[in-house]
Amino acid sequence: MQLPFHFRPRLADALRGYDREHFARDLGAGVTVGIVALPLAMAFAIASGLKPEAGLWTAIIAGLVIAALGGSSVQIGGPAGAFIVIVYGIVERFGLANLLIATSCAGVLLFVAGFFRLGRLVRYVPVSIVIGFTNGIAVLIAVSQLKDWLGLKVEKMPADFFAQLNVIGANIATFNPFAFGLGAACVLVLFVWPRLWGERSPIRAAIDLPGVKTAAAFNRRVPGPVVALVLLTLFAWYFQLPVETIGTRFGSIPEGLPAFVLPEFSWATVKLLVTPTLTIAALGAIESLLCARVADQLTTLPRHDPNQELMAQGVANFVTPFFGGMPATGTIARTVTNIRAGASTPVAGIVHAVTLAIIVLAAAKLALLVPLPVLAGILLFVAFNMGEWHEFANLKKYSMHYRVLMLGTFFLTVVFDLTVAVQVGLLTACGLFIRRMSALFSVKRVREEGAVIHYELYGALFFGAVAKIDEVVQAVERGPSEPVVILDCSHLVQLDTSGLDSLRQLHKAALLRGGTLHLENLHEQPRGLIERSGFAAELAANLPSPEVAAG
């Protein structure tokens, strides 16, 4: 018997034939991504209602584990923008300690999903649902950053969307123009910086040497978020701008390694945290595997192993909370940066984690000077790029089913939460799929010769389509006596037990009128079910089934 367990990290394959050239590329890419991860990790943690070090050490520990054990060659793991609204809501409702427990439990679920090879099931989530909740999360991230961008004096923001808007409106009188200016300048830098080094940029034309793309390499090595963070932090510090910083809000960032702490664990707590645990696990699985698929499309490297990736995500999310971390998953922005910087193996992800650890341990005090409006500007930019806004304009090109799923998931994510949105979205998708599949099944009455009636069945006869057989039953009950009902099943591709029961009801109706039922040209699947259930023998003996007769 072959066991379902197969644990082989992509790193093990990547190190075969690994040479200095590969290491040089991975070193450059890893250092670049490590620098990029610094402002994002702090911003994601603060926006989630946690201290900045929670995001930093999540990026370091989870990033290292996912790179070392994952199933993708270039994916970068760590805290992600998609988790902001989820984590903030969990912390507000259940507290930080329970967030850590829920994250570890979600890690167990992710590992189990990979263990039993369930990674490919994520592909069955309709793209309309994914786009809907992604755009909804982007809106929630943007709204959650308005407080710091506008410099409002609010002690604590609620997690609910409308409550946040209400608090912002009630405190708009505390608007800080300096904070607003820093945030706006940050967004402007993030939009302009990559365009300064574009193909048509005069700066790029002036810098590039013949045969050497100097400007493009510089843009990859010095990304926009780092430029905005450093320049605007120096600007705010030099001019002593009256804005809130990491230091004024959180006091300090520990300069040493995080302590290993086991959260207080009980089964009663685990049962209380079922919904948060499932939410973290589901979002982590969807985000990481979608990110890995994007990475596959951008490279010619071997495609990712979804099951191995889920197991790595599981280990990372199980371990990280013991060091005060937050949920982690695959991160699209950092993964794309990693690819564009020349990464070729998971070694780049390991270098990224080591680089970030060195920065945190050596320069933690400098992070205290970072203005919170600058981090808010970075997250506003992340939210803008995260959303697939063009899909709203493209809705007119798609069916009503697609529109209902996408818009419904979007509004439910914004108004309620991601868990409700995905659950309702999947149930709606299943209902619409059943409706569409039932519409594809048809019963055609082809001819009638006295008491002999010929029908042709097309499609799949399943629980959603049995009503069409009921119409045939009613026609037989109202028709001539001693009917001979012939069903041509040459186009019947699938039959389930509900469909089988409807055929038995038709057989009973024919028998009560003194007639018979004949099934012709059956394919393998319908024939197998009919024979195993004993219905074939009942047809041959011209007897009703015991269940139908008793009814």
Side-chain angles (χ1 to χ4, degrees):
M1 177 180 177
Q2 185 178 3
L3 295 176
F5 185 64
H6 175 78
F7 192 88
R8 185 173 181 81
R10 183 58 52 87
L11 181 63
D13 297 324
L15 291 179
R16 289 185 298 181
Y18 195 74
D19 53 25
R20 290 184 179 180
E21 181 182 353
H22 282 98
F23 180 71
R25 293 172 59 187
D26 289 337
L27 179 64
V31 171
T32 301
V33 181
I35 296 172
V36 171
L38 177 68
L40 294 176
M42 291 191 296
F44 292 151
I46 293 171
S48 302
L50 306 175
K51 293 184 177 181
E53 57 263 30
L56 291 171
W57 286 108
T58 298
I60 294 168
I61 298 171
L64 178 65
V65 171
I66 292 171
L69 303 181
S72 171
S73 299
V74 292
Q75 176 152 276
I76 300 295
F83 274 119
I84 289 176
V85 293
I86 302 300
V87 173
Y88 191 92
I90 294 173
V91 171
E92 184 186 57
R93 183 177 177 184
F94 299 99
L96 176 59
N98 286 331
L99 168 69
L100 302 181
I101 295 174
T103 303
S104 286
C105 292
V108 174
L109 291 183
L110 286 168
F111 188 90
V112 170
F115 181 94
F116 288 106
R117 299 181 175 273
L118 302 180
R120 298 192 184 277
L121 292 181
V122 174
R123 296 193 178 187
Y124 295 139
V125 178
V127 67
S128 52
I129 293 179
V130 174
I131 293 173
F133 79 66
T134 301
N135 287 358
I137 289 173
V139 170
L140 292 173
I141 291 173
V143 171
S144 71
Q145 296 310 297
L146 292 179
K147 175 182 81 76
D148 287 335
W149 183 34
L150 300 177
L152 304 182
K153 296 185 182 301
V154 178
E155 186 68 26
K156 184 174 178 59
M157 286 288 286
D160 180 70
F161 173 74
F162 293 108
Q164 287 180 339
L165 294 180
N166 184 53
V167 169
I168 291 170
N171 292 273
I172 197 66
T174 62
F175 171 72
N176 184 339
F178 297 101
F180 178 78
L182 280 177
C186 178
V187 174
L188 181 63
V189 170
L190 294 174
F191 270 108
V192 172
W193 182 257
R195 289 162 179 79
L196 290 177
W197 315 101
E199 293 288 343
R200 300 180 180 179
S201 169
I203 296 178
R204 177 166 181 168
I207 293 178
D208 279 351
L209 300 174
V212 182
K213 295 182 177 180
T214 310
F218 180 74
N219 183 36
R220 290 196 300 267
R221 295 289 182 261
V222 188
V226 177
V227 174
L229 183 75
V230 173
L231 290 182
L232 294 175
T233 299
L234 289 174
F235 181 83
W237 170 78
Y238 182 80
F239 289 101
Q240 294 294 299
L241 297 183
V243 296
E244 196 172 14
T245 65
I246 290 178
T248 59
R249 179 176 292 184
F250 298 102
S252 65
I253 296 178
E255 297 181 48
L257 295 173
F260 180 87
V261 178
L262 287 173
E264 190 174 336
F265 179 88
S266 69
W267 282 114
T269 303
V270 171
K271 289 188 287 186
L272 178 68
L273 299 174
V274 168
T275 298
T277 297
L278 292 176
T279 302
I280 293 172
L283 184 58
I286 293 172
E287 284 289 313
S288 64
L289 297 186
L290 285 178
C291 177
R293 288 177 64 183
V294 170
D296 289 342
Q297 295 168 4
L298 295 177
T299 69
T300 57
L301 297 170
R303 296 181 66 83
H304 75 282
D305 179 349
N307 300 308
Q308 182 64 41
E309 190 62 35
L310 284 184
M311 287 190 283
Q313 299 283 342
V315 174
N317 280 284
F318 179 76
V319 172
T320 304
F322 299 144
F323 298 93
M326 59 188 292
T329 186
T331 58
I332 294 178
R334 276 160 279 172
T335 298
V336 172
T337 301
N338 191 38
I339 294 170
R340 290 177 177 170
S344 59
T345 74
V347 173
I350 296 175
V351 172
H352 134 269
V354 173
T355 300
L356 190 54
I358 292 173
I359 295 173
V360 171
L361 294 175
K365 289 183 178 180
L366 296 178
L368 300 178
L369 302 175
V370 175
L372 295 181
V374 174
L375 294 181
I378 291 175
L379 286 182
L380 287 171
F381 185 74
V382 168
F384 177 80
N385 286 318
M386 179 180 176
E388 298 188 48
W389 313 112
H390 61 279
E391 291 295 336
F392 287 117
N394 292 336
L395 279 177
K396 59 185 178 183
K397 300 179 182 178
Y398 298 108
S399 67
M400 183 58 68
H401 290 182
Y402 184 95
R403 298 175 197 172
V404 168
L405 284 177
M406 179 180 156
L407 292 177
T409 306
F410 171 76
F411 286 115
L412 287 171
T413 301
V414 172
V415 175
F416 294 98
D417 60 47
L418 179 66
T419 306
V420 173
V422 173
Q423 289 174 347
V424 174
L426 288 175
L427 287 175
T428 304
C430 291
L432 293 175
F433 177 77
I434 292 169
R435 183 172 178 267
R436 179 172 295 178
M437 290 300 296
S438 63
L440 294 176
F441 176 76
S442 63
V443 181
K444 186 178 295 184
R445 186 167 179 164
V446 290
R447 65 181 181 274
E448 183 174 350
E449 301 168 346
V452 181
I453 311 171
H454 293 260
Y455 290 92
E456 291 180 351
L457 306 185
Y458 293 85
L461 178 53
F462 70 114
F463 64 91
V466 294
K468 296 181 180 179
I469 296 296
D470 293 341
E471 295 175 3
V472 179
V473 172
Q474 295 173 7
V476 170
E477 290 174 344
R478 294 192 302 264
S481 59
E482 299 183 0
V484 178
V485 182
I486 300 176
L487 301 184
D488 183 355
C489 301
S490 57
H491 301 289
L492 179 67
V493 295
Q494 191 78 18
L495 178 69
D496 73 353
T497 52
S498 297
L500 176 64
D501 182 70
S502 68
L503 293 179
R504 278 181 157 147
Q505 295 293 338
L506 177 59
H507 183 215
K508 176 186 176 183
L511 291 177
L512 291 175
R513 301 286 292 172
T516 56
L517 173 66
H518 302 273
L519 305 181
E520 299 180 347
N521 305 319
L522 284 165
H523 289 292
E524 182 178 355
Q525 189 276 332
R527 181 190 297 112
L529 178 58
I530 288 172
E531 290 176 350
R532 290 194 308 274
S533 66
F535 187 45
E538 296 161 16
L539 290 173
N542 207 27
L543 294 172
S545 65
E547 297 87 350
V548 174

